Amino acid sequence: MHIQFAELPVFDQDRAKAFYTRHFACKVAADEKMGHSGWRWIELKFPGAVTNMHFVRRADDTPGAEPVLVLVDDDVEATIAALKAGGVEIITEPQEAPWQPGRTVAEFRDSEGNRMVVGSQ
């Protein structure tokens, strides 16, 4: 058993899709119209991941205060450096997780203002 997708609140689907395909090499698993509202069913697949990410509608583009998702990566420092070089807002630089010694974590904001964590295993 596995989780098929995790929901990520976004305001602008195209902007979010461009952010994740550019910065994380996500592939589009689905991009289909959902009725007449203009909203689409978009799922993105991270390289090597079983769980996809699905966009859900957020009412506005106000940045979130709490982390939305935790991404796991083997090289947090390199990921954060690449995000920074790409103009992404870094909230916290790589540091040891206070709740789990030996684990490195950092935080950034995605194109939709979501506060995201990237951490080592």
Side-chain angles (χ1 to χ4, degrees), residues 26-46:
C26 290
K27 300 294 182 200
V28 178
D31 187 346
E32 302 295 331
K33 289 179 110 177
M34 289 178 54
H36 300 290
S37 69
W39 195 255
R40 304 183 328 261
W41 180 274
I42 297 177
E43 275 187 57
L44 299 181
K45 182 169 186 58
F46 282 83

Side-chain angles (χ1 to χ4, degrees), residues 37-101:
S37 69
W39 195 255
R40 304 183 328 261
W41 180 274
I42 297 177
E43 275 187 57
L44 299 181
K45 182 169 186 58
F46 282 83
V50 174
T51 302
N52 290 348
M53 184 169 60
H54 164 64
F55 297 152
V56 294
R57 187 186 314 252
R58 192 167 75 205
D60 59 39
D61 59 358
T62 304
E66 299 299 321
V68 177
L69 293 175
V70 176
L71 307 174
V72 177
D73 194 5
D74 292 333
D75 193 343
V76 174
E77 290 84 359
T79 298
I80 292 299
L83 290 172
K84 190 184 294 186
V88 174
E89 177 188 352
I90 305 304
I91 299 169
T92 60
E93 294 289 335
Q95 59 188 308
E96 186 172 75
W99 65 88
Q100 190 175 4

Side-chain angles (χ1 to χ4, degrees), residues 7-9 20 58 63-71 91-92 99 105-110 113-118:
E7 294 182 333
L8 182 69
Y20 285 97
R58 192 167 75 205
E66 299 299 321
V68 177
L69 293 175
V70 176
L71 307 174
I91 299 169
T92 60
W99 65 88
V105 295
E107 292 180 280
F108 66 93
R109 283 205 191 277
D110 71 2
N114 292 308
R115 189 174 182 147
M116 307 289 279
V117 175
V118 60

Side-chain angles (χ1 to χ4, degrees), residues 16-28:
K17 182 174 142 181
F19 179 89
Y20 285 97
T21 55
R22 175 182 175 212
H23 293 290
F24 292 97
C26 290
K27 300 294 182 200
V28 178

